[in-house]
Amino acid sequence: MTAAITRRSFAPALPGTAEYAEAAAVFNEASPARPAAAVTARGVDDVRAAVVHAARAGLPVRVHSTGHSAGAAGAMEGSLLVRTRLGGEVRVDAERRVAHVPAGRTWSEVLAAATPHGLTAPHGTSGTVGVVGYLLRGGVSFYSRRVGLAANSVLAIELVTADGEVRRVDAAHDPELFWALRGGGGGFGVVTAVEVALFPAARVVTGAALWSGRDAERLLDRWRTWAVTAPREAATSFRVMNLPRIPEIPAELSAGPVVVVAGAVLAPEASDLPLAERAADDLLGPLRDVARPLEDTWHVGGPADVPHAHMDPPGPVNVLGDHLLLRELGADGAAAFLAAADPGSASPLVAAELRQLGGAAAEPAAAGGALDHLDAAYAYMGAGLPDLFPAERIRERLTAMRSALGPWDTGRTAPTFVESTDGPQGHLDADALARVARIRERVDPGGLFREDVMAHTVAGRTR
């Protein structure tokens, strides 16, 4: 490390200060971060100074940016938390179709820079999610069925390692570390920037349609039938929701359970739009024949519209959740899902969701990282709001959902969907975990980032 960094004074924020509150803020308020100290890093030198300080003070280092992964992060007591909000704009090289993204930037910022060039990125369902954390955890997008997991689109990673040095890794420079960073579970350093591949998106058919929960059985049957043969350019979710009665939500949508089908169909070039519209019509036509939607926002738009389709909350929420990756459900699995979600009555879950996977998302990538595909047909997510229902009731229903879907559980999870450290989770097999551990030992032999590693369950053992 340089002498300038060695001599630099550094004083992290302590509990009770505004600076600490800013650095420790999370998206999921059910999982607050309570580190011993915290800092908001606004430049690479801030990151280096924080790492040097933590090493000298004997404090493990934890890292987050927007705090969306708080539910899966685990306890932070006794650690130094580094919140990355590095300066600099998102830079797009339209000719190469590459975006350079400083840590702390959100997907909305990437889209704002990319869409004027007719390009988009493999972002998630919310534009407020931080780019770096999402990518390092694999990243599941409405485009994943066509372009694969988002981590496969990462071309280079810049980070500060435990020795305080700045590294840039890619396929040609420390390819082993580059492999481990992409889905290996963290604990390698503080990522300060990434380069991510973009892809053409002339138009997108996107939106959400909502029906009364009493039509759930027929709607799910038709959605599943379409999903089996849907083109890779299309991806959707099927949710049973119990929306809160607040002024922002129309009364007819919060009067009882509703079914929501949201998603996107990509038209990479303008000439592809008729095919995209036909794919959307193949889905929505049979669903609209079941019953007239209570609300329907599906439309032909641009890629900047896609993060609004899923209607994810923009601000912090207090949520308890669970997640599974599922095999193809068939009629029995669909019935089990609906019986547990119980769309005919008021459930303590605000949402029980099936997310369509398959396509490129299920295929290993030749140049991918530790997590390069998900061998599953659907992702299940359940969520409840303790502000509306007792936490115990929510946990009981989540447990019932997990039990009902047990016969179709693959035993694996997608890291970006994990909301708790309580339930079983794991996205790597034993061989991959061992390889990741060897790389982690090489770049962090003193274990400075040992607490910043995601939990994994392999053959009944949590690691």
Side-chain angles (χ1 to χ4, degrees):
M1 67 190 69
T2 66
I5 293 296
T6 302
R7 293 194 303 265
R8 179 173 179 171
S9 62
F10 178 84
L14 299 178
T17 65
E19 293 79 7
Y20 177 96
E22 177 189 5
V26 297
F27 186 82
N28 184 355
E29 295 177 338
S31 302
R34 298 190 179 97
V39 61
T40 299
R42 304 191 186 278
V44 173
D45 283 348
D46 291 342
V47 175
R48 298 181 72 189
V51 169
V52 171
H53 173 87
R56 289 176 173 172
L59 294 174
V61 177
R62 304 298 303 274
V63 187
H64 73 178
S65 57
T66 60
H68 279 76
S69 62
M76 295 189 182
E77 283 80 354
S79 66
L80 172 64
L81 174 62
V82 178
R83 185 185 199 98
T84 51
R85 285 192 173 174
L86 276 71
E89 300 299 320
V90 175
R91 302 195 308 269
V92 170
D93 184 330
E95 185 175 346
R96 293 176 55 226
R97 295 179 179 172
V98 173
H100 180 274
V101 187
R105 298 302 176 192
T106 65
W107 283 112
S108 288
E109 293 172 275
V110 174
L111 290 178
T115 54
H117 304 286
L119 301 171
T120 193
H123 59 82
T125 55
S126 171
T128 66
V129 170
V131 172
V132 168
Y134 169 90
L135 289 173
L136 298 185
R137 291 174 175 83
V140 179
S141 167
F142 276 144
Y143 303 123
S144 289
R145 287 172 39 80
R146 187 175 193 274
V147 302
L149 295 188
N152 296 336
S153 296
V154 177
L155 303 177
I157 298 173
E158 299 165 19
L159 73 159
V160 175
T161 46
D163 55 7
E165 293 301 319
V166 180
R167 306 191 190 199
R168 177 184 168 89
V169 299
D170 55 28
H173 302 89
D174 202 341
E176 278 285 283
L177 179 55
F178 184 52
W179 174 86
L181 281 162
R182 293 173 295 155
F188 305 100
V190 182
V191 172
T192 58
V194 295
E195 286 190 357
V196 60
L198 306 174
F199 52 91
R203 303 294 282 168
V204 184
V205 185
T206 186
L210 296 83
W211 291 265
S212 167
R214 64 176 173 267
D215 297 309
E217 183 175 357
R218 287 191 295 162
L219 291 167
L220 180 55
D221 179 67
R222 297 191 181 193
W223 179 76
R224 283 193 311 105
T225 299
W226 170 85
V228 170
T229 59
R232 293 187 173 208
E233 288 75 16
T236 56
S237 64
F238 182 100
R239 286 176 290 172
V240 176
M241 302 192 71
N242 294 275
L243 299 170
R245 298 189 179 187
I246 57 177
E248 293 82 1
I249 297 177
E252 64 177 344
L253 301 182
S254 60
V258 294
V259 167
V260 185
V261 174
V265 187
L266 175 67
E269 308 295 338
S271 59
D272 298 318
L273 181 57
L275 292 176
E277 290 182 299
R278 187 178 311 150
D281 288 343
D282 287 345
L283 166 66
L284 297 169
L287 297 181
R288 289 166 177 156
D289 287 343
V290 170
R292 182 177 180 179
L294 301 174
E295 184 171 313
D296 195 339
T297 67
W298 280 87
H299 67 287
V300 175
D305 294 337
V306 176
H308 304 289
H310 211 245
M311 303 180 296
D312 291 342
V317 295
N318 181 10
V319 61
L320 299 175
D322 195 16
H323 157 61
L324 303 168
L325 288 178
L326 304 174
R327 302 179 181 88
E328 185 58 59
L329 292 172
D332 290 345
F337 170 79
L338 284 183
D342 195 11
S345 64
S347 166
L349 301 186
V350 68
E353 174 178 351
L354 295 174
R355 182 80 59 87
Q356 183 185 6
L357 298 176
E363 297 170 351
L371 177 63
D372 64 352
H373 73 289
L374 299 173
D375 188 10
Y378 302 100
Y380 153 74
M381 286 81 74
L385 304 177
D387 293 338
L388 300 180
F389 290 94
E392 190 56 36
R393 278 194 63 193
I394 295 171
R395 292 191 180 98
E396 287 175 355
R397 181 57 65 92
L398 291 174
T399 299
M401 291 291 305
R402 176 176 280 270
S403 177
L405 294 171
W408 297 272
D409 181 9
T410 66
R412 297 292 181 88
T413 50
T416 52
F417 293 150
V418 175
E419 285 287 357
S420 169
T421 58
D422 296 335
Q425 58 176 295
H427 61 277
L428 302 178
D429 61 28
D431 289 342
L433 279 174
R435 182 181 173 189
V436 166
R438 290 192 297 269
I439 298 168
R440 191 177 288 123
E441 174 65 23
R442 171 170 67 84
V443 298
D444 184 18
L448 188 64
F449 294 95
R450 63 187 180 276
E451 301 296 332
D452 208 41
V453 180
M454 289 191 67
H456 296 78
T457 301
V458 179
R461 295 168 291 135
T462 299
R463 301 163 77 172

